Structure formats: C-alpha cells, structure tokens
Amino acid sequence: MTPPGEGTAGAVPSAVSEPAPPATEPESPEAAVPAAPASKAGRNLPAALAVGMSLGLSLIAILLFAPKVLIGVIAAAIAVATWEVAKRLREADVLVPRIPLLVGGQAIVWLAWPWGPQGVLGAFGATALAVMVWRLFDHGLRATPRNYLRDTAISIFVLAWIPLLASFAVLMLQQDDGNLRVLTFMVLVVCSDVGGYVAGVLFGKHPMVPHISPKKSWEGFGGSLVFCVIGGLLTVTLLLQANSMIGVLLGVGLVLVATTGDLIESQVKRELGIKDMGTLLPGHGGIMDRLDSMLPSAFVAWLVLTALL
C-alpha cells in the first residue's frame, strides 16, 4: 500500500516546474477538466492522504476487534485487483480468462482459512488447470486458439501475482497472535513507503532504475530502509514480544521485496502503456496500485515470522 508517489523507493522530484499549457482546444475530454493539485511525485496529495488514512484506520480496527473479517476484505480486494489487471490486459489484446481467475482467486483465499497451505496449493493447482482448459476452448470447439501459450502463461502469472501472494496474509492471520503479525507486516510496508516517499521527494537525485520507474531514487530507497528497520524493531519487540534482531531482518527483507513489488507493477504498466491499473481510489489509482508492494511482502513476512517465531 503505497503513499502518494511512485512507490516505496521514493521519487526524484523535477528540478524545474513545467509551465501550464496555453489555453487551447483540449486534445481529449479529460484535458478540459482542471487538474487536481498534485505532489512532486505526481499524485493528488490531499486525496491520497485522506484515502490512505481511512483505509489504514479501518484495517487496524478490523485487526484489533474482528480479525476474521479481514479474510473477506482480502477476498474483495483481490477480486477487484484481478478484474483491474485482467481488464487492462484484455485492452492490450491479451485474452486472460476472467471467470476462472476470479473464481479461482476466491478459492485460493478462502480455502486458506480451513485448510491452510494445503488448501491454497490445491486451489491454485485446480485454477491453473481450469485456466489452461478455458483458454483452449473459449472460442468454441471448431476454432483454432490464438496466442494460447502467451495468454495462458500471463494468466498463471496473474494468478500467482495476486491471489496466491495475498493468501499468505490469510495464512499469517491463522497463526498465534495472527492479527498482530498481519498488523506488523502492514505497518512495515507503510514505513517503507513513507520513508521512501519523504526521502525521495526531499533528497532524491539518483534514479535507481530509470528505464523501469524513473521517479524511484537511491535516496528514497535509503529512506525506506531506515524507516522500515526502525519500524521492524518497534513492532516486533512491542507487538510480538520477540527478539529485536527478527525485526531488523524483517525490516530489511520487506524493504527489498516491497520495492521489487513496485518495480514489477511499474514494468507491467510500462509494457501496457498505462499509468494506473484503475481509478477506484482517488489520489492512488486502482486497488492493484495499492497492493503492488503488499502482495510480495505478505509472503516474506509469513516466511520470516513462521520460521523465526
């Protein structure tokens, strides 16, 4: 869940503000609408902060008072995110089968509740097979499939990228003090995002990977690392009552994987020629644009905390 900006590694602010374009006939209907005030990282900062705070407080309340409700929240979020990604892919003529992905994604999340990793693995395997068969015959028995290998491979990628990685948050929730473990992982992702945004906007001068995400900087990555390690020390010792070194390891690991998650989505959007996956969240984009760093971080947090606690 990334704050306003391009991601956890921070943003490289422009050295000179561009002048407003002359009042001419707009190239599109959207151009005729006055732009909302944006931050240096290219987002509507007030809207982004309001949405982020609302979502964050709601999730904290759920985790503290009704943790099982989070399973439904995760299921709804991955359904919307899967729909957003599938829609964008189909706009690019990549015919991913939406129904198997949506139904199978729900099975992966919900079966993690009663049957744990076995339920997740079984649902993932069954959905992957369903995707292969669906795409093979989705134009009828007499039609020759077009781009079958490409479309099925991308479909399995989407299945692993969204519902499979999200299921690790559900698995974490099932453990002892699972609500506090999920809260710890969420706090650390936010620490990484905020540290990267602040350091990137204030000090960002050296791009990390300009050909994937031009606004991410090494200075922002350093800010993510500092904030996330401090957050790891505090949350692991205070919330989980565990060794502080686990917090350091978890903080470093989540910075690396959250940044990578942002870059993965940035590259996907770059190849599709789009800025955001959706428009549901003002100042943020779509649901998938907020889950890009959370999804891989859920897996790493589950792995580290399961192994060391």
Side-chain angles (χ1 to χ4, degrees):
M1 187 176 297
T2 316
E6 274 295 315
T8 56
V12 182
S14 301
V16 180
S17 298
E18 296 183 0
T24 58
E25 183 179 352
E27 295 180 359
S28 64
E30 290 81 1
V33 181
S39 69
K40 289 182 179 181
R43 296 286 183 185
N44 182 343
L45 186 56
L49 288 175
V51 170
M53 289 292 291
S54 299
L55 290 174
L57 292 174
S58 299
L59 290 173
I60 290 173
I62 290 172
L63 283 169
L64 294 180
F65 300 110
K68 297 301 182 186
V69 174
L70 185 67
I71 300 174
V73 174
I74 293 171
I78 68 105
V80 176
T82 301
W83 178 268
E84 289 175 343
V85 174
K87 180 176 182 292
R88 290 299 200 176
L89 288 169
R90 291 176 75 91
E91 288 172 357
D93 197 34
V94 179
L95 301 182
V96 296
R98 288 176 290 192
I99 293 177
L101 287 176
L102 289 169
V103 174
Q106 293 300 297
I108 290 170
V109 170
W110 286 105
L111 292 183
W113 185 3
W115 290 303
Q118 293 88 347
V120 170
L121 182 61
F124 179 81
T127 306
L129 181 59
V131 164
M132 297 176 196
V133 175
W134 187 288
R135 185 64 187 86
L136 189 63
F137 299 116
D138 62 353
H139 283 81
L141 298 178
R142 295 181 179 274
T144 301
R146 181 174 61 90
N147 295 322
Y148 173 77
L149 182 58
R150 182 201 66 179
D151 293 351
T152 51
I154 294 175
S155 299
I156 302 303
F157 167 77
V158 173
L159 190 68
W161 188 25
I162 305 176
L164 180 62
L165 289 179
S167 70
F168 288 97
V170 180
L171 294 175
M172 201 164 15
L173 193 66
Q174 303 300 97
Q175 298 173 332
D176 293 337
D177 297 325
N179 62 328
L180 298 181
R181 294 187 184 207
V182 174
L183 181 58
T184 294
F185 126 74
M186 290 173 55
V187 167
L188 292 193
V189 174
V190 171
C191 286
S192 177
D193 292 345
V194 171
Y197 176 74
V198 171
V201 168
L202 294 179
F203 310 112
K205 294 181 180 178
H206 301 90
M208 283 184 69
V209 279
H211 295 294
I212 297 177
S213 183
K215 292 184 179 180
K216 288 182 174 62
S217 67
W218 285 110
E219 291 82 3
F221 180 78
S224 292
L225 191 61
V226 171
F227 273 56
C228 204
V229 168
I230 294 174
L233 282 169
L234 294 175
T235 53
V236 168
T237 55
L238 298 178
L239 290 180
L240 302 181
Q241 305 294 313
N243 190 305
S244 60
M245 288 300 100
I246 297 176
V248 173
L249 176 62
L250 185 61
V252 172
L254 288 196
V255 166
L256 294 174
V257 75
T259 302
T260 304
D262 281 334
L263 293 175
I264 289 170
E265 197 204 19
S266 293
Q267 181 60 28
V268 171
K269 291 190 291 188
R270 180 173 291 271
E271 292 193 17
L272 295 176
I274 59 176
K275 184 179 187 295
D276 293 318
M277 286 293 183
T279 58
L280 187 61
L281 302 177
H284 289 267
I287 293 292
M288 189 60 205
D289 297 301
R290 300 309 93 207
L291 294 180
D292 53 2
S293 58
M294 298 285 287
L295 291 169
S297 297
F299 165 69
V300 171
W302 171 83
L303 185 65
V304 171
L305 295 178
T306 301
L308 299 180
L309 291 187

